[in-house]
């Protein structure tokens, strides 16, 4: 997640850490799905990290750890506005924005994400 107003981004790292930090000292803009090379240290406050350096990073070997192509039929259960394509979560916002219906074949890109409610790692459609 990127909060452009407050210049804060939420992240996951290659060793499956998750948290957030202010990016304005290092980067002009950041978009969901971009890969960054960051040196940081955890702060004791609710997942906040102190950042020492941050640059945009385009090494393809890291891209495969965090992003993947997805194609398949979307399963939207009755009374839910969200769905799944195999093990990939598709949010209400995407379902509504794209007018997706149960059983449609959908393709796109998914990002690795952490589900705080279930306390586990998974995939989320971009």
């Amino acid at each position: 997640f990127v909060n452009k107003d407050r210049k804060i981004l939420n992240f996951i790292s290659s060793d499956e850490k998750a948290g957030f930090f202010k990016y304005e000292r290092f980067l002009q803009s950041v978009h969901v799905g971009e890969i960054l090379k960051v040196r940081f240290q955890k702060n004791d406050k609710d997942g906040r990290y102190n950042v020492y350096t941050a640059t945009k990073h385009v090494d393809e070997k890291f891209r495969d750890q965090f992003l993947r192509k997805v194609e398949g039929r979307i399963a939207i259960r009755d009374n839910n506005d969200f769905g799944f394509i195999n093990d990939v979560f598709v949010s209400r916002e995407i379902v509504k924005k794209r007018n997706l219906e149960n059983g449609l074949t959908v393709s796109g890109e998914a990002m690795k994400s952490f589900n705080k409610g279930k306390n586990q790692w998974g995939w989320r459609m971009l």
Side-chain angles (χ1 to χ4, degrees):
F1 176 76
V2 177
N3 182 330
K4 293 181 182 186
D5 295 333
R6 296 178 62 199
K7 309 288 188 202
I8 293 175
L9 65 83
N10 288 51
F11 72 90
I12 60 171
S13 71
S14 57
D15 55 358
E16 296 192 340
K17 291 178 186 162
F20 65 92
F21 64 85
K22 287 186 143 294
Y23 64 84
E24 69 184 339
R25 286 185 20 210
F26 306 99
L27 305 164
Q28 291 288 328
S29 65
V30 178
H31 304 285
V32 172
E34 282 188 307
I35 297 173
L36 306 175
K37 185 174 184 179
V38 181
R39 285 188 327 119
F40 57 78
Q41 180 180 22
K42 184 168 180 154
N43 191 332
D44 290 332
K45 299 178 186 173
D46 299 333
R48 182 176 174 195
Y49 281 74
N50 296 322
V51 175
Y52 301 116
T53 61
T55 57
K56 292 190 179 185
H57 195 62
V58 290
D59 190 334
E60 289 300 314
K61 72 177 180 177
F62 291 109
R63 182 175 176 75
D64 293 343
Q65 291 179 24
F66 301 105
L67 299 170
R68 73 178 197 199
K69 301 278 186 208
V70 176
E71 185 171 347
R73 294 190 186 274
I74 188 167
I76 302 172
R77 296 186 187 126
D78 294 336
N79 301 325
N80 288 330
D81 296 333
F82 61 89
F84 289 89
I85 302 170
N86 300 320
D87 64 339
V88 177
F89 175 75
V90 182
S91 69
R92 288 178 174 89
E93 293 80 14
I94 293 174
V95 169
K96 287 181 180 181
K97 182 177 180 181
R98 302 289 183 191
N99 295 317
L100 301 178
E101 296 178 11
N102 190 42
L104 285 176
T105 298
V106 178
S107 64
E109 195 166 38
M111 179 176 63
K112 191 173 186 180
S113 64
F114 186 72
N115 183 329
K116 288 182 184 178
K118 293 183 177 181
N119 197 31
Q120 68 184 25
W121 291 94
W123 292 91
R124 181 182 187 99
M125 191 75 147
L126 294 174

